[in-house]
Amino acid sequence: MQKVNLSLVLILMLAGAARAQVYPSTGSAWVTPGGWEEPLSTSRFDSAEAVRRWELRHADLVLGDWQSAALNDASRVLLPFRAQSLSCEPDAQQRWLAQQARATGLDPESAFLHFAQDTRLAVKDTHQQLDSLLQTRPWLSRTADTLSIPGWDPANDTDNNGQLSDAEYQQRRNPQASARFPSQARVLVTGRQQYGGCEFRTNFSDPDVRAQLINWYRDDWQQMAAEGGYTPRLRPLLGPDVLPVVSGGQILELSLQAGTPEAEARYLAQLVDFLGQLKQQLSPAMLGVSTSGLALWPDETVAAPLRSQVDLWVRPRFLTPAMGLARIQQSWQHFALSAEGAGSVLMVSIRDGHSYLHPGDERAWQQDVETGLALYYLFNLPGQTYYHNWGDSLSIDSTNTSMRDWHRPGLPKNWVYQPTAMLKVDLGEPVSAPKGYKPVWWQAEPLSGDSRGSVLGSYKVVPAHWFWLYRTGWFGKQPSEGVIGRRYAQGLVLYRAVQQAGQSRFLEAKPMRISLPGTYIRVFYDGTTSEPMNYIELGGYEGAVLQKAESEE
């Protein structure tokens, strides 16, 4: 027991040290850590717990859970949550909500949305939770490609006791609603879900339900020592992607048809309003939201209130080695969100890089990581952005590598994907471009503007200060090929690409010699550096992180 306690004390001491920013030039984050495994291919770690201790020391922010309130308290943790969803299988949240509802004289069933009429949904995919639900709830029926859910109409419940007797069922005022109990008519999301499982939709129309949910998150986040919550995916909600209605579909609490843009928009507005209440009442709770599926501009009706509630935007696969120049020149929204004061976790994926062509080549994998960090530094805003690289993995977690996502299996994924030695190099703050170099322009129709500016159209943006070190095939302000640069007080980052993304032939392009605006040393994956140089050779879709040579400093 004493040994266990001493180990916990040591872990907490190490985690507490991570409260100061880990790396000098940017923040770092883990996304959904967990599933730690004992490494099989390195002596650096002797256990899964050693891997977890390493992760504790190498991130400023965690979107997930250390599976320990004590460790969460020593870190900065946002727990994953989806306020719009209630699990198909009763869990701790549903049990808590039901208990609180009964204690206050409320109907626990009011937490759910319900179909007001018998409804058939198209079903193309299957998963374990839905199969289990079909077995335990015989009133649900399924054919090869549809799922039938009975509807609930309160008008059929003439004695208002929450269920239909045989007589009431036979004499239903609305014969198109055949549910015996309201629970049979819950709005069930059957479309493919990014995070697995089947879900019921939450009823935000009821203020009592909102109050109960807020109390649940207050209690849960306090118990787990979290500073707030992170929603991995806000949409789709009630649209055709998740509710492909074949017949029926009327939602009782919204008086709208499921699977329509109107239902999606109304429910999104309710969800955004709830997030505002949650943030206000749990102040200073921090809220993070993934940008997946969201249009943050130009529709200001819902987008503006949403942006005002979110403290941290998570951008999955925002950066990839072969993303190309066009995507970079269109990515002004990151700098607009930053101008509004929001932070961002910018997630790097190396799925389309040189390692795709050469999966067994160690240097190809390391080069893709270097390019990913160089791209990240093009967008880095110290104090507001966090780096996370999820490599080429199918899942975002802390498990070991396999032959498909690294050149060598059996290594902790986060350990190999985070270029610790490179991040330790102090580049300082981003600064303006050197004199004589042409600025990169934003090209996102209908918006166009100088990346040095603080306004783009009608939107405020943080200046990116990007400039061209090389460009060819010039058409207006968009070259067919070029090298983008961004200068730091003590460094420089570069990226060579063509306009189009994912061009396999360009991945094999011959290296090109590029003159540098000064003398620099190149920093490699393992922290080693080149000799001081005034030029660099870059291949296709290749980025580089450079530090000022001592003579320049």
Side-chain angles (χ1 to χ4, degrees):
M1 179 63 73
Q2 184 178 9
K3 183 178 180 180
V4 174
N5 290 338
L6 288 174
S7 297
L8 181 58
V9 170
L10 176 61
I11 292 173
L12 291 175
M13 290 175 63
L14 293 172
R19 280 293 192 174
Q21 183 168 296
V22 178
Y23 300 111
S25 300
T26 189
S28 58
W30 297 132
V31 179
T32 58
W36 301 276
E37 297 176 316
E38 180 178 349
L40 304 177
S41 305
T42 178
S43 58
R44 172 67 173 77
F45 305 99
D46 59 8
S47 65
E49 183 57 33
V51 177
R52 183 167 72 149
R53 290 199 301 268
W54 182 88
E55 288 188 358
L56 278 164
R57 301 193 303 272
H58 288 84
D60 305 294
L61 178 69
V62 176
L63 306 181
D65 182 12
W66 290 118
Q67 300 174 13
S68 161
L71 295 183
N72 288 351
D73 191 43
S75 303
R76 192 181 189 195
V77 166
L78 302 184
L79 293 180
F81 82 110
R82 287 168 57 80
Q84 67 269 34
S85 301
L86 295 168
S87 174
C88 290
E89 297 181 357
D91 56 9
Q93 181 189 31
Q94 288 190 41
R95 288 190 291 271
W96 189 95
L97 291 172
Q99 182 181 24
Q100 295 297 311
R102 294 188 185 99
T104 54
L106 301 175
D107 181 4
E109 193 58 33
S110 62
F112 302 88
L113 289 182
H114 301 86
F115 286 117
Q117 58 187 159
D118 296 345
T119 297
R120 284 195 306 139
L121 303 175
V123 178
K124 296 181 180 179
D125 304 302
T126 186
H127 45 71
Q128 185 175 354
Q129 273 197 308
L130 181 55
D131 290 341
S132 175
L133 192 69
L134 289 168
Q135 293 174 6
T136 57
R137 304 200 178 194
W139 41 268
L140 287 174
S141 61
R142 179 175 179 176
T143 64
D145 55 3
T146 63
L147 175 67
S148 297
I149 303 174
W152 173 258
D153 188 340
N156 291 338
D157 182 19
T158 55
D159 59 6
N160 200 32
N161 68 346
Q163 63 182 37
L164 300 189
S165 65
D166 291 343
E168 286 174 319
Y169 185 81
Q170 294 297 328
Q171 301 173 15
R172 299 192 308 278
R173 295 179 180 177
N174 180 3
Q176 302 304 315
S178 61
R180 289 286 190 122
F181 304 92
S183 60
Q184 296 174 331
R186 293 173 183 174
V187 172
L188 172 67
V189 174
T190 62
R192 181 179 291 276
Q193 295 296 295
Q194 181 181 1
Y195 294 90
C198 69
E199 305 169 347
F200 296 123
R201 280 289 175 252
T202 308
N203 176 22
F204 293 118
S205 301
D206 190 328
D208 291 327
V209 172
R210 292 189 184 207
Q212 286 184 349
L213 282 170
I214 290 171
N215 288 336
W216 156 258
Y217 288 118
R218 178 187 289 111
D219 184 70
D220 184 52
W221 293 352
Q222 285 179 351
Q223 285 191 31
M224 293 305 298
E227 294 190 16
Y230 152 61
T231 296
R233 191 174 182 88
L234 210 61
R235 299 180 66 180
L237 297 165
L238 295 175
D241 290 344
V242 289
L243 285 172
V245 175
V246 176
S247 62
Q250 188 77 2
I251 298 176
L252 178 65
E253 292 80 6
L254 296 179
S255 297
L256 288 172
Q257 186 81 6
T260 62
E262 293 77 14
E264 177 79 7
R266 172 82 64 82
Y267 193 72
L268 176 61
Q270 289 186 347
L271 175 56
V272 170
D273 188 56
F274 170 76
L275 292 177
Q277 288 183 293
L278 179 69
K279 185 175 178 63
Q280 181 181 16
Q281 295 188 35
L282 270 61
S283 183
M286 184 176 182
L287 294 183
V289 171
S290 169
T291 57
S292 295
L294 295 178
L296 297 175
W297 285 279
D299 179 12
E300 297 292 290
T301 306
V302 174
L306 177 60
R307 296 200 309 268
S308 70
Q309 309 302 343
V310 175
D311 304 290
L312 182 81
W313 294 100
V314 183
R315 305 184 75 92
R317 283 205 188 96
F318 183 61
L319 305 167
T320 67
M323 65 187 296
L325 300 177
R327 277 178 54 191
I328 291 178
Q329 290 184 264
Q330 294 166 2
S331 298
W332 62 274
Q333 292 191 9
H334 164 65
F335 293 94
L337 292 170
S338 300
E340 294 181 344
S344 295
V345 175
L346 305 182
M347 298 177 66
V348 178
S349 168
I350 58 176
R351 183 167 296 181
D352 63 358
H354 289 82
S355 56
Y356 173 76
L357 296 182
H358 308 286
D361 185 346
E362 177 180 8
R363 180 57 195 148
W365 287 95
Q366 293 178 350
Q367 180 179 320
D368 284 344
V369 173
E370 292 171 9
T371 297
L373 183 60
L375 284 164
Y376 171 83
Y377 275 136
L378 285 178
F379 291 84
N380 175 44
L381 296 170
Q384 287 185 272
T385 53
Y386 299 85
Y387 169 86
H388 176 80
N389 182 3
W390 69 329
D392 191 22
S393 178
L394 294 175
S395 59
I396 310 175
D397 52 35
S398 305
T399 56
N400 287 342
T401 58
S402 67
M403 285 301 294
R404 73 160 310 280
D405 52 34
W406 194 247
H407 68 92
R408 185 176 167 196
L411 297 170
K413 283 194 297 194
N414 284 335
W415 181 56
V416 298
Y417 291 157
Q418 187 186 86
T420 304
M422 296 183 73
L423 288 162
K424 287 180 179 177
V425 175
D426 188 357
L427 301 183
E429 301 267 336
V431 296
S432 58
K435 292 182 179 179
Y437 287 81
K438 295 296 183 181
V440 173
W441 276 56
W442 298 115
Q443 296 294 335
E445 293 296 335
L447 299 175
S448 178
D450 192 329
S451 70
R452 298 172 299 182
S454 58
V455 175
L456 180 63
S458 60
Y459 306 111
K460 293 182 179 179
V461 294
V462 175
H465 292 301
W466 295 340
F467 61 96
W468 295 110
L469 286 91
Y470 165 80
R471 51 188 177 171
T472 187
W474 198 248
F475 297 99
K477 298 180 176 64
Q478 288 184 290
S480 60
E481 181 184 339
V483 176
I484 286 182
R486 191 187 195 200
R487 196 164 64 133
Y488 281 71
Q490 297 165 226
L492 176 70
V493 294
L494 310 173
Y495 175 64
R496 178 191 172 197
V498 288
Q499 279 289 316
Q500 300 84 3
Q503 300 294 304
S504 297
R505 291 182 61 183
F506 190 67
L507 279 170
E508 302 281 32
K510 292 182 179 180
M512 173 181 290
R513 179 170 290 192
I514 305 296
S515 297
L516 300 174
T519 305
Y520 292 88
I521 58 175
R522 183 172 184 174
V523 184
F524 296 104
Y525 173 83
D526 60 0
T528 58
T529 58
S530 69
E531 294 295 322
M533 55 188 181
N534 298 102
Y535 65 86
I536 188 173
E537 291 193 347
L538 291 177
Y541 294 126
E542 183 177 358
V545 176
L546 311 178
Q547 187 180 30
K548 273 187 179 180
E550 291 185 2
S551 59
E552 289 288 312
E553 295 177 0

